[in-house]
Structures are given as C-alpha cells and as structure tokens.
Amino acid sequence: MAEHERWWRETQDARYVAESAGEDVGVLRITRLDETTCEVHLAVAPQFRGEGYSTEMLREGTLEAKRLGYERIVARVDSDNTPSLRAFLRAGYGVTSPGTLLLERTL
C-alpha cells in the first residue's frame, strides 16, 4: 500500500480507508472522469482478501459516488483477476470491454 500513499499526496481523488479492529484493510478511491462519471479503484491488503471486504467497500463506494452526484461509475479489472471481477459483478457492474475489463454501472 506504500505506492498508494505516495500517489494520494498528488491527487484530488476521494479516498476511503476500510478498517477492522484498528487495522487498515483496504483503500477505495473515487476518481472524477467527467461531470456524471467516476472511476472506482479498490485495493484490499492480501491478509484480508477473501473475507468479504471488497463487497462491503464497493457497496459503500457506490453510495458515496451517488452522494457526490455521479450517475455512472466505471472500474478497470485485469481479466485474470478473478476475485476482483467477481466482486464487481456481485456489486452490479457489467463487463463492457475485453482485455483489461472495463466494468460499469448506473447509479
């Protein structure tokens, strides 16, 4: 997560840190693409993967994007990243491109 910390200092994206029992579980970032569309970025620490945090973080991130006034949210997932792909599909996203998959949903 060190690369994320460096990047945060240089961006104006909205950033949310998920915690459990005082430990950082993961980070969700919302990037403005235009007035109606944002992109969500999700990173969960390896020791917390597979425990449902991605699902909850995406749920909260979707609510926050809606609160911020966005109408559409997109995400990019490498096609071989099956756990992330499943999390986004469960959260209501649909695949809109091959390769590095572009997923999106209406808010």
Side-chain angles (χ1 to χ4, degrees), residues 75 77 85 88-89 92-104:
V77 176
L85 181 56
F88 279 96
L89 292 173
Y93 290 72
V95 176
T96 59
S97 72
T100 296
L101 303 174
L102 179 65
L103 298 100
E104 66 180 76

Side-chain angles (χ1 to χ4, degrees), residues 46-82:
Q47 67 269 28
F48 293 106
R49 292 177 185 161
E51 297 183 29
Y53 290 107
S54 293
T55 300
E56 181 63 20
M57 291 170 68
L58 285 172
R59 187 184 74 75
E60 291 294 327
T62 298
L63 292 172
E64 182 63 10
K66 203 174 207 178
R67 188 188 72 72
L68 292 169
Y70 294 109
E71 298 171 10
R72 188 170 148 260
I73 189 168
V74 300
R76 296 176 201 282
V77 176
D78 290 334
S79 57
D80 62 347
N81 188 343
T82 304

Side-chain angles (χ1 to χ4, degrees), residues 26-43:
V27 178
L28 182 129
R29 188 175 89 228
I30 297 174
T31 303
R32 181 184 190 273
L33 298 180
D34 61 38
E35 287 186 20
T36 62
T37 307
C38 65
E39 183 170 0
V40 64
H41 311 269
L42 178 68

